[in-house]
Amino acid sequence: MKKCPRCGKEIHEGEKYCLHCGLDLESGYKKPRRGGKLGLYGPWILIFIGIFGIMFYQAFNATTSIISSTTETSALEDISEDSATYILDSYDTLADFQNAYSNASDYVSDIVAYEETLSDYTLNKVYSITVYDNYNIAFELDYSVIINDNLTLKINRSYDRAHSYNDETITLKKTGLSSFDELLLTADELAIIQKYHSDTSTIETMISNITAREEEFESKKETLGHYGLGEYEDGSSYVIHRNGTSYYIIVKDGFTADDYIS
């Protein structure tokens, strides 16, 4: 008796086939080696790894190139004589604007210097900086502060790199008012506007005109709507509004600033 080389069962001498597993005993039997499939597919696996490696390397280089090009700092060119047709970039912080252009530091420094002139109060700041395709830049700077429970100050400064406009508006909002006398700015309140615009003659004229409209106010005060009762002159206004059982005024002093920030 002997054993089948594949299944290990005992078989008789001279058998041509294993009665247990059906092995052809005359053709012989070779035990398969471990890793035989790896030997068969190994070259293809190596080819696949090579191709994948090349693709990954190219994709990595392309991504790196894109990141480099998007983070690269460029320079603001001279303003073109052509009119702007589209926006290149917009920024809402001075840091982002300065980081985007290698020569934006002077513009940022001038804005910071301007803000130091407003340092009587700690102001909330909102920036809108728009760069156009002709490299003109529109600057919109908004500052606000609550002076007390009834008084809010806002300052808006807007100008452009081309120096085609240079506007400033000082706004005082006074709330919680119940009598006509309270609707008129006091000397101290007028002085707040005067800190930022020395010429308050327009506002003083409107205060005088509002004072002369006391009788009209008394007849309309119960029905004052959204537009209120007011005086208007160019970019300045003095308007009385109703809020429930109380009143508030919004006084705006709009003018063209003498000097550009940058």
Side-chain angles (χ1 to χ4, degrees):
M1 301 288 287
K2 64 178 182 179
K3 292 184 178 182
C4 172
R6 182 164 67 181
C7 66
K9 301 290 185 180
E10 289 186 348
I11 55 175
H12 295 284
E13 296 288 347
E15 291 286 353
K16 294 183 178 180
Y17 296 94
C18 175
L19 298 176
H20 304 286
C21 68
L23 175 66
D24 184 352
L25 298 172
E26 290 186 341
S27 64
Y29 174 74
K30 293 182 180 180
K31 188 176 181 180
R33 293 177 298 174
R34 290 186 180 180
K37 288 186 178 180
L38 178 61
L40 178 62
Y41 299 113
W44 293 104
I45 294 175
L46 292 175
I47 292 173
F48 173 78
I49 292 174
I51 294 174
F52 180 79
I54 293 172
M55 293 174 61
F56 177 80
Y57 177 77
Q58 291 176 339
F60 176 79
N61 281 348
T63 303
T64 303
S65 176
I66 291 172
I67 293 174
S68 298
S69 62
T70 55
T71 58
E72 182 180 354
T73 302
S74 58
L76 290 167
E77 297 181 12
D78 292 337
I79 300 177
S80 168
E81 294 182 359
D82 298 330
S83 298
T85 56
Y86 64 89
I87 295 173
L88 284 180
D89 291 295
S90 296
Y91 306 94
D92 57 9
T93 70
L94 296 182
D96 287 343
F97 174 57
Q98 183 168 339
N99 290 336
Y101 298 99
S102 60
N103 55 343
S105 297
D106 288 344
Y107 296 96
V108 173
S109 297
D110 289 343
I111 292 173
V112 172
Y114 166 72
E115 291 174 351
E116 290 176 355
T117 68
L118 312 178
S119 59
D120 291 327
Y121 305 103
T122 301
L123 300 167
N124 296 316
K125 305 172 184 180
V126 177
Y127 304 104
S128 177
I129 302 172
T130 306
V131 182
Y132 294 95
D133 61 324
N134 65 347
Y135 285 95
N136 192 16
I137 306 173
F139 296 91
E140 189 85 17
L141 314 177
D142 285 289
Y143 308 96
S144 62
V145 61
I146 298 174
I147 297 176
N148 56 46
D149 292 341
N150 302 105
L151 198 62
T152 302
L153 169 68
K154 292 184 179 181
I155 302 171
N156 171 269
R157 185 68 181 269
S158 58
Y159 61 99
D160 67 345
R161 185 187 184 196
H163 290 189
S164 61
Y165 64 93
N166 187 26
D167 301 323
E168 188 161 355
T169 302
I170 313 299
T171 303
L172 274 182
K173 182 177 181 180
K174 186 179 177 183
T175 62
L177 312 177
S178 57
S179 67
F180 184 78
D181 289 342
E182 292 177 336
L183 298 174
L184 306 175
L185 286 185
T186 67
D188 289 342
E189 292 163 349
L190 183 62
I192 293 174
I193 297 177
Q194 202 166 29
K195 289 179 181 179
Y196 307 104
H197 185 206
S198 59
D199 183 6
T200 56
S201 58
T202 299
I203 300 299
E204 292 173 38
T205 298
M206 287 192 289
I207 292 174
S208 177
N209 292 341
I210 286 289
T211 302
R213 299 177 67 177
E214 180 177 5
E215 185 176 338
E216 180 185 358
F217 167 76
E218 294 295 341
S219 66
K220 295 180 178 179
K221 65 181 182 180
E222 300 297 332
T223 58
L224 284 180
H226 174 74
Y227 295 102
L229 173 70
E231 291 287 326
Y232 304 88
E233 185 171 337
D234 297 329
S236 300
S237 60
Y238 193 120
V239 185
I240 304 169
H241 300 273
R242 180 181 175 86
N243 182 23
T245 58
S246 65
Y247 303 89
Y248 66 93
I249 60 173
I250 297 178
V251 182
K252 293 185 178 182
D253 184 20
F255 56 95
T256 298
D258 294 332
D259 299 315
Y260 281 89
I261 293 177
S262 58

